[in-house]
Amino acid sequence: MLQIHQNVSLKNFNTFQIEVFAKYFVEISREDELVELFLDPQWHQSPRLVLGGGSNILLTQDFDGLVIRMNIRGIAHRINHEEVVVEAGAGEVWNDFVNYCVHWGFAGVENLSLIPGSVGASPIQNIGAYGVELKDVFESCKAFEIATGTFKHFTHADCKFAYRESVFKQALKGQYIICSVKFKLSLIPQINISYGAIQAELSKRNIEHPTVSDVSKVVSEIRVSKLPDPSTIGNAGSFFKNPIITKEQFDLLHKQFPEMVYFLVPNNQVKLAAGWLIEQCGWKGKVVGHTGTWHQQALVIVNHGGASGKEVYDFSTSIIHSVQQKFGVVLEREVNIF
């Protein structure tokens, strides 16, 4: 029998460590528990919030509805010649899943090492880092449709992946709950060390032919050196998306700011480094009240202790206005706001 708890603090269920309360709270450990939960018509009408690792969310107020924490576990793999399909439960910690793959020598997710969060959230956000995105290794996922109480499988095409986007954040937002994800990996690594920081660290270690394990270790150490640990200081990683602008817009900006950090992307567009833009506006390491930006990475907003969600949100709004005023570029929050 499912246990529905009332008036539950969510401070330990979000990496920003924001103290807000859920009117109702339930933890799901098996798929059939979702069916049981939504047999009660009360939960069809009630506001709902699905939580995994709580690593990409900013809670700005108490939640007057049902918080569903997904805790379905389990990892299994199937090898077919050089191809490997790995399936993981939505409640698995993302980095535990990556470590599992690296341990077995399955290539494809090593560049995504140490990203906070859960497996179930990974396709929703199309997480990415160091030249790799979730969509590059995604095969399919199994999701529960709330309206019908049935399960559906989503293919790569069904998910309509884009930069930090998927159908689950757009057309189907709030309609499905992801239960498990399948990833298509390989026994033959296609090592991606296109990002300069990875190359530099490998060279420093005199590693000329890196393995999957080498890349994972280097990415992990780079992240530790630049990003705060959510267990010691509240944060949700990168707070803003890297903005994508047209080549024409970029050419005008680049003349004015020749040192601008950028990356060429398809469709005659250019991706700008949001952290660089924020830093140029004087925000890196800035502290305002209980919040501020991380001293090593301006893209990360932190809770120095006791910050409210509204305080963090207002701080992020000030950054957006500042960047827009200086560069004419509008930053978009990557973190989900509730």
Side-chain angles (χ1 to χ4, degrees):
M1 188 73 178
L2 277 177
Q3 294 291 313
I4 310 290
H5 304 279
Q6 296 188 40
N7 196 35
V8 174
S9 170
L10 298 180
K11 184 173 183 179
N12 293 329
F13 298 105
N14 73 98
T15 59
F16 252 119
Q17 300 173 23
I18 301 294
E19 179 80 284
V20 296
F21 289 83
K23 187 174 183 179
Y24 301 103
F25 180 93
V26 65
E27 192 161 63
I28 299 295
S29 300
R30 302 190 317 273
E31 291 177 358
D32 64 311
E33 291 178 336
L34 285 171
V35 178
E36 179 186 342
L37 177 67
F38 285 100
L39 283 175
D40 186 338
Q42 173 184 355
W43 307 124
H44 286 271
Q45 307 303 321
S46 173
R48 294 182 301 272
L49 171 59
V50 180
L51 279 182
S55 62
N56 195 49
I57 192 169
L58 175 64
L59 301 168
T60 60
Q61 58 190 328
D62 291 343
F63 192 75
D64 188 29
L66 175 66
V67 170
I68 303 170
R69 183 167 188 266
M70 293 299 290
N71 197 31
I72 297 174
R73 299 301 182 110
I75 307 177
H77 66 265
R78 183 182 74 252
I79 299 175
N80 183 19
H81 301 295
E82 298 164 357
E83 183 181 288
V84 184
V85 174
V86 185
E87 183 172 14
E92 285 291 340
V93 174
W94 173 260
N95 201 52
D96 289 349
F97 161 72
V98 173
N99 288 339
Y100 175 97
C101 297
V102 170
H103 169 78
W104 285 98
F106 303 154
V109 293
E110 56 276 4
N111 289 51
L112 304 178
S113 295
L114 220 59
I115 292 178
S118 64
V119 165
S122 63
I124 298 173
Q125 186 72 6
N126 184 25
I127 61 172
Y130 298 104
V132 175
E133 289 187 316
L134 185 283
K135 67 178 177 61
D136 301 329
V137 294
F138 178 90
E139 178 169 273
S140 65
C141 68
K142 184 179 183 181
F144 176 78
E145 185 175 22
I146 294 169
T148 63
T150 60
F151 294 89
K152 177 180 176 179
H153 286 86
F154 286 82
T155 65
H156 193 289
D158 293 333
C159 292
K160 298 182 173 18
F161 291 121
Y163 175 58
R164 301 298 176 268
E165 291 287 353
S166 71
V167 71
F168 300 109
K169 286 183 71 176
Q170 300 297 331
L172 299 182
K173 185 174 182 178
Q175 297 180 38
Y176 288 85
I177 298 174
I178 294 176
C179 298
S180 62
V181 184
K182 286 185 179 178
F183 303 85
K184 186 184 290 185
L185 306 179
S186 177
L187 292 176
I188 301 180
Q190 298 290 321
I191 299 295
N192 183 340
I193 56 171
S194 57
Y195 267 63
I198 299 177
Q199 291 179 333
E201 191 61 34
L202 288 169
S203 296
K204 195 187 299 181
R205 300 173 183 217
N206 297 315
I207 298 175
E208 295 182 8
H209 304 288
T211 64
V212 167
S213 180
D214 291 331
V215 173
S216 177
K217 287 176 184 174
V218 163
V219 167
S220 296
E221 291 195 13
I222 292 171
R223 291 185 70 91
V224 167
S225 70
K226 290 185 176 181
L227 303 174
D229 182 350
S231 68
T232 58
I233 184 167
N235 75 92
S238 299
F239 197 91
F240 300 99
K241 297 180 182 180
N242 288 321
I244 296 175
I245 62 176
T246 65
K247 184 66 165 55
E248 291 74 22
Q249 286 175 289
F250 170 75
D251 289 340
L252 290 173
L253 268 178
H254 198 228
K255 284 180 183 177
Q256 191 177 355
F257 305 99
E259 70 282 10
M260 177 175 281
V261 179
Y262 65 93
F263 310 93
L264 299 178
V265 294
N267 302 319
N268 200 35
Q269 293 181 310
V270 180
K271 183 189 293 185
L272 305 181
W276 184 89
L277 298 173
I278 296 166
E279 186 173 345
Q280 298 310 302
C281 294
W283 288 99
K284 186 176 181 181
K286 192 162 188 176
V287 177
V288 177
H290 300 95
T291 188
T293 52
W294 186 237
H295 61 91
Q296 293 279 69
Q297 173 53 271
L299 192 55
V300 178
I301 296 178
V302 299
N303 173 8
H304 286 294
S308 69
K310 184 180 185 304
E311 190 176 1
V312 174
Y313 182 85
D314 290 346
F315 180 78
S316 71
T317 299
S318 297
I319 291 175
I320 291 171
H321 289 163
S322 181
V323 169
Q324 185 175 12
Q325 188 172 32
K326 186 176 179 71
F327 297 102
V329 174
V330 179
L331 294 181
E332 185 180 348
R333 296 176 181 89
E334 182 176 324
V335 171
N336 297 300
I337 311 296
F338 283 90

